[in-house]
Amino acid sequence: MHNGEGTVGFEMRRKAWPAVEKFVSISVPVTFPLDLTKTRLQIQGEAALRQHGSQTAYRGMLGTALGIVREEGPLKLWQGATPAVYRHIVYSGVRMVAYEQLRDVLGRSEDDRFPLWKAAIGGMLAGAVGQFMASPTDLVKVQMQMEGRRRLEGKPPRVHGVYHAFLKIVSEGGIRALWAGWVPNVQRAALVNLGDLTTYDTVKHFLLRNTSLQDTSLCHGLASTCSGLVAATMGTPADVIKTRIMNQPRGPNGRGILYKSSIDCLIQSVKGEGFISLYKGFLPTWMRMAPWSMTFWLSFEQIRKTMGISSF
């Protein structure tokens, strides 16, 4: 693609993003109770916490959600929704623009196909960059999501809101502390985007080339269904590790007490709870990600069409 064409394409995509931001600000609160339930499930039975004398009752997805409503109140299902909206605006904006720019840079093959290996590289890089930028908001979200559980266990509250959470984290560990857990967070985002962006892009163009389907909502819906399932399957293990590292108590120096690194967390989790522990919270993850992915891609494609931008 010529530089002039690339610049025009970038500007058009950038102008389309405010509409997508509005979609994100609506869709995140709608699906957030599933995200909160997923986070609580990922902490249940944590082997490292048991060694420090902390126990959490085992519950399934419904039991966890109903327990939050019964013990903490229905509004607590949305605790941490504000930083989640911030996170998605930053993360989704960066990853979508970055992927299309990488797709332009890497280039298509002579038959106008975007090879799977290039799509995989583009998806993983775009997800990693987007999540690194959004990691501080993810850290605040996870800590706020666990506040209700901490209070029921008789522990003092860590944070009292988004602004207080940011200030507390910075005062205790400096600016760098905002990126605590960024390694598993970026790893998860790379895997999720390998499943989401790469799968959607590949499946969509496979259907267009090899079936009678046109570039319509039906094709977009089928591709997004595949992308949501693959993204949830690939991203859940890294999501469990990320949640545990971000939620762990920290010492005076701002370092985590339970885990030295994401690898240490992985080893302790598998040793203490078995391999299946890496898929704790998979069901609410998929139940949230599947409709979110479909709604996002259908809306995103329609917005592009309305604004005269070529299909993704």
Side-chain angles (χ1 to χ4, degrees):
M1 177 178 285
H2 300 297
N3 289 336
E5 293 174 346
T7 302
V8 172
F10 176 79
E11 283 301 311
M12 293 182 74
R13 295 164 194 157
R14 184 182 61 79
K15 290 178 180 178
W17 197 250
V20 180
E21 286 182 345
K22 291 179 182 178
F23 159 75
V24 169
S25 65
I26 295 171
S27 64
V28 171
V30 170
T31 60
F32 191 77
L34 286 168
D35 187 76
L36 176 65
T37 303
K38 175 262 299 182
T39 300
R40 295 288 182 89
L41 284 168
Q42 290 174 339
I43 299 298
Q44 284 186 20
E46 194 171 358
L49 279 177
R50 290 203 304 269
Q51 293 170 10
H52 284 72
S54 179
Q55 281 279 18
T56 301
Y58 283 92
R59 294 169 169 170
M61 184 184 75
L62 288 177
T64 299
L66 291 174
I68 293 169
V69 172
R70 183 172 59 253
E71 297 165 1
E72 304 170 40
L75 291 180
K76 292 298 181 181
L77 288 171
W78 281 271
Q79 187 159 18
T82 300
V85 171
Y86 297 160
R87 181 253 179 193
H88 266 291
I89 289 174
V90 175
Y91 168 67
S92 296
V94 172
R95 74 173 183 131
M96 296 303 296
V97 173
Y99 181 78
E100 292 202 74
Q101 290 302 109
L102 286 167
R103 191 167 62 177
D104 291 344
V105 171
L106 293 172
R108 297 182 181 275
S109 57
E110 293 182 0
D111 57 357
D112 200 36
R113 295 185 184 186
F114 192 51
L116 179 59
W117 69 270
K118 288 185 178 182
I121 292 173
M124 293 182 75
L125 284 175
V129 172
Q131 187 55 67
F132 181 79
M133 298 290 288
S135 198
T137 57
D138 221 1
L139 175 63
V140 170
K141 183 198 77 169
V142 169
Q143 292 198 358
M144 289 184 67
Q145 285 178 323
M146 294 306 299
E147 278 305 294
R149 183 77 261 164
R150 285 175 57 84
R151 294 180 187 185
L152 285 177
E153 293 172 352
K155 298 176 182 177
R158 283 184 299 193
V159 296
H160 301 284
V162 179
Y163 181 67
H164 176 257
F166 277 114
L167 287 181
K168 185 172 185 292
I169 292 167
V170 172
S171 65
E172 292 179 352
I175 295 294
R176 290 181 60 184
L178 288 172
W179 274 267
W182 74 268
V183 174
N185 215 2
V186 166
Q187 291 169 342
R188 171 196 173 272
L191 291 170
V192 166
N193 277 272
L194 178 60
D196 185 29
L197 282 174
T198 305
T199 301
Y200 179 82
D201 195 16
T202 303
V203 171
K204 174 188 167 182
H205 289 95
F206 174 84
L207 292 172
L208 291 176
R209 287 194 308 269
N210 298 284
T211 71
S212 59
L213 288 177
Q214 301 298 310
D215 194 0
T216 61
S217 295
L218 177 58
C219 178
H220 304 157
L222 290 172
S224 64
T225 299
C226 295
S227 70
L229 177 59
V230 175
T233 302
M234 297 188 71
T236 297
D239 194 33
V240 171
I241 302 303
K242 175 217 59 167
T243 297
R244 293 183 172 194
I245 286 181
M246 288 185 164
N247 184 63
Q248 68 175 321
R250 300 189 178 276
N253 59 358
R255 294 181 179 274
I257 294 174
L258 303 180
Y259 309 111
K260 299 175 183 177
S261 65
S262 56
I263 298 298
D264 181 44
C265 181
L266 173 67
I267 292 172
Q268 286 196 50
S269 298
V270 174
K271 274 188 175 181
E273 306 161 59
F275 178 80
I276 196 65
S277 67
L278 298 178
Y279 278 89
K280 284 185 175 181
F282 172 79
L283 185 57
T285 296
W286 180 66
M287 288 179 65
R288 178 184 68 87
M289 196 171 284
W292 197 97
S293 179
M294 178 175 288
T295 307
F296 174 82
W297 284 113
L298 289 173
S299 302
F300 187 58
E301 293 277 20
Q302 190 59 44
I303 290 168
R304 293 172 70 98
K305 182 179 178 182
T306 302
M307 298 191 70
I309 305 172
S310 61
S311 178
F312 183 80

